[in-house]
Amino acid sequence: MDEISTNSTEGYSQGTGTHSQDSSGASSVNYDAVNVVAVAGNGALDRIESLLEAIVDAVTTGNEIMIPYRTVRASRPGRSQGPPAARQAGVVRFPGRTIQEAKKFEALLCIIELSHEALLSGMLITKRNIYYQSPDLFGSQVAVDVMVDNLAFTLGVGRGDLNIVATAKGLISGPIMLISRDGSVIDCGLSHSTGILLPSTSEIRSIGFHEVQWILVIEKEATFRTLAAAQYAKNSRAGHGILITAKGFPDLATRRFLSLVHSMRPSLVIFGLADFDPDGISIVRTYQNGSRRLEHENEATVPSLCWLGVKSRDLLSSWQSPAVDDEEDQELHGTTGGESPQLVENSDHQRPAKRPRLSDFRNPSDKVSSLTLRDRKKAGDILRAISSVELPSGGGLEHAQELQRMLMLNIKAEIQAVDSYGDLSTWLDDNLCARMHAD
């Protein structure tokens, strides 16, 4: 396997690799490996050094010391006029107009210096490590997180281009090999029950895919661990696959890993499994389209990610009947009020006499419950976001329809609502096989 180091995740090349399971070579597994091509930081080092030079020049000439600083929130649509390049950039000054500004300057300069050192040495530094460099200065971990993201946004690079990463959160399990820049090999199939922490994409030199045919991204860590312990990634009727979880809302490292894998293997189908509630749909949409707070991050989305479930038809005891779907769509059409007609399906059938009740759903007592006020507000926010898109994608239309069903039926459900006596594998086999054959 050719050694190709990397500081970024852009591009790839084909290669082959062999992993021996013991020193004698008695048993070995061949992996179809793909190497990550190096792209050096997207100019982050040059931009940071330009900042530092400007600060030195200001000190030398006795001018006011300033660091450009734009916030992601202030640059969202509706908060400012004109394209990003035309907006006036904010600055942080020293000594500043207030004590708070002077302290913010010191904290921002500290982050810039640590990033500069990390880029020069080729090492990575976590946001957690940055905080513990000077807890009194930063005040909180949240303050560090926000300043790092805003610094990357100001410089026009991704957080990873600064060699600053979040503490590992995502887990992976399945027959796949991750080869690091230092030559170490991570066999993701060894830890069956707990999974293996996903490394930063900037640490990955190449990936051995073996016979992987699909990837399942799971919202909940508990569901991930159950499937990993049962070695579902190797035993599925849909063939060998990979299980991944970000333990809830997707972090940037997990999103970037999925984007990297997709760029290497576009034919590899990636599925999303989440609860049937507004948060579950929000998680799926973040994997597909990214988040507003980190919209400046490149290579962190997988628009082709397929939402496997859980969906309303999975919960209805008679969901296999086409008449049920027609009735649901007609009632939706009759109760959407002022919603955009793009977000509902058309139906020529008469409105049904009554809608499904909570008792019509599988396991209604413990896995299906009513929406809270927060859930309904979240659903409304997502619907408005979808409606704001001039030409919403097919995925966006499906998300809107499912959200409308939630609101109309006033129900939400956990992933476990579709399992069979604690076993989710049968439902997964049926749905994975159906979707893969359909594609």
Side-chain angles (χ1 to χ4, degrees):
M1 183 181 299
D2 297 332
E3 292 189 7
I4 301 181
S5 60
T6 177
N7 284 327
S8 184
T9 62
E10 187 174 302
Y12 65 92
S13 63
Q14 295 289 344
T16 58
T18 301
H19 169 64
S20 298
Q21 293 183 335
D22 55 50
S23 59
S24 65
S27 63
S28 63
V29 178
N30 292 323
Y31 283 80
D32 180 13
V34 180
N35 295 320
V36 182
V37 173
V39 179
N42 290 334
L45 181 59
D46 291 339
R47 298 177 196 189
I48 285 179
E49 290 186 339
S50 295
L51 273 180
L52 294 175
E53 289 174 2
I55 292 173
V56 172
D57 290 342
V59 172
T60 303
T61 58
N63 294 329
E64 187 177 34
I65 306 173
M66 297 184 295
I67 297 178
Y69 187 74
R70 294 174 58 207
T71 62
V72 179
R73 179 175 299 178
S75 301
R76 289 177 182 171
R79 292 179 178 262
S80 55
Q81 300 293 327
R87 300 170 195 155
Q88 182 178 3
V91 296
V92 178
R93 299 175 174 84
F94 185 84
R97 299 168 181 170
T98 64
I99 295 177
Q100 288 76 16
E101 186 176 9
K103 188 174 181 180
K104 184 176 182 179
F105 180 95
E106 184 181 358
L108 186 58
L109 182 60
C110 179
I111 293 174
I112 292 173
E113 291 175 339
L114 290 171
S115 174
H116 185 244
E117 292 176 6
L119 287 167
L120 289 176
S121 64
M123 304 297 290
L124 298 176
I125 183 171
T126 67
K127 293 187 293 182
R128 193 69 174 165
N129 287 339
I130 291 177
Y131 169 70
Y132 280 114
Q133 293 288 325
S134 183
D136 293 336
L137 172 63
F138 294 114
S140 69
Q141 181 65 58
V142 173
V144 173
D145 297 346
V146 171
M147 293 185 75
V148 168
D149 289 334
N150 288 338
L151 175 62
F153 179 70
T154 301
L155 296 177
V157 299
R159 182 205 302 158
D161 297 321
L162 300 175
N163 276 22
I164 299 175
V165 298
T167 304
K169 173 186 175 185
L171 297 174
I172 182 171
S173 177
I176 185 174
M177 306 286 291
L178 306 180
I179 297 85
S180 303
R181 288 187 299 169
D182 60 7
S184 60
V185 178
I186 302 175
D187 187 344
C188 301
L190 292 181
S191 183
H192 300 306
S193 60
T194 60
I196 292 175
L197 283 173
L198 274 174
S200 169
T201 52
S202 59
E203 295 181 309
I204 299 175
R205 189 185 76 205
S206 58
I207 298 178
F209 286 95
H210 192 35
E211 299 176 353
V212 170
Q213 301 181 45
W214 51 267
I215 296 177
L216 181 63
V217 186
I218 305 167
E219 173 187 352
K220 291 184 173 180
E221 181 183 2
T223 303
F224 168 89
R225 291 185 183 275
T226 299
L227 293 172
Q231 299 188 44
Y232 181 77
K234 295 181 180 179
N235 299 328
S236 171
R237 284 197 284 110
H240 288 179
I242 302 171
L243 304 175
I244 291 177
T245 184
K247 304 176 185 176
F249 196 83
D251 60 322
L252 183 60
T254 304
R255 288 165 47 197
R256 280 198 157 187
F257 178 81
L258 288 169
S259 179
L260 172 64
V261 169
H262 178 66
S263 70
M264 292 176 162
R265 285 289 178 86
S267 60
L268 195 61
V269 188
I270 303 178
F271 297 98
L273 177 64
D275 288 341
F276 181 71
D277 61 16
D279 286 314
I281 291 182
S282 177
I283 286 172
V284 171
R285 290 180 57 79
T286 300
Y287 279 117
Q288 293 174 331
N289 309 315
S291 63
R292 293 183 63 185
R293 188 174 67 86
L294 298 178
E295 59 189 356
H296 61 284
E297 291 284 351
N298 297 319
E299 300 165 350
T301 61
V302 184
S304 62
L305 181 141
C306 176
W307 181 28
L308 191 66
V310 174
K311 303 177 184 179
S312 57
R313 69 174 189 177
D314 298 318
L315 303 173
L316 285 166
S317 58
S318 56
W319 68 272
Q320 291 180 329
S321 170
V324 172
D325 290 334
D326 291 338
E327 290 179 354
E328 290 176 25
D329 295 337
Q330 177 62 23
E331 183 154 351
L332 273 174
H333 185 71
T335 56
T336 51
E339 295 291 344
S340 169
Q342 288 181 309
L343 303 183
V344 296
E345 301 173 2
N346 293 322
S347 174
D348 295 328
H349 299 285
Q350 294 182 350
R351 183 170 177 173
K354 61 179 181 178
R355 65 184 182 185
R357 297 168 299 178
L358 200 62
S359 58
D360 293 328
F361 294 85
R362 296 173 180 172
N363 305 322
S365 60
D366 55 348
K367 304 303 180 185
V368 179
S369 57
S370 300
L371 294 173
T372 65
L373 290 177
R374 177 194 171 278
D375 292 329
R376 301 186 75 86
K377 182 179 182 302
K378 180 79 173 181
D381 291 341
I382 300 173
L383 284 170
R384 280 188 288 273
I386 296 173
S387 299
S388 67
V389 179
E390 183 176 355
L391 293 173
S393 64
L397 292 176
E398 182 184 29
H399 299 156
Q401 290 158 7
E402 289 296 305
L403 285 166
Q404 289 169 335
R405 291 187 178 106
M406 286 183 204
L407 293 171
M408 181 189 69
L409 300 174
N410 192 34
I411 59 102
K412 61 180 179 178
E414 300 176 14
I415 295 173
Q416 289 72 21
V418 298
D419 67 18
S420 177
Y421 301 101
D423 182 12
L424 191 62
S425 59
T426 300
W427 182 90
L428 280 175
D429 283 342
D430 292 342
N431 283 270
L432 285 174
C433 290
R435 294 304 294 265
M436 292 179 69
H437 292 159
D439 295 337

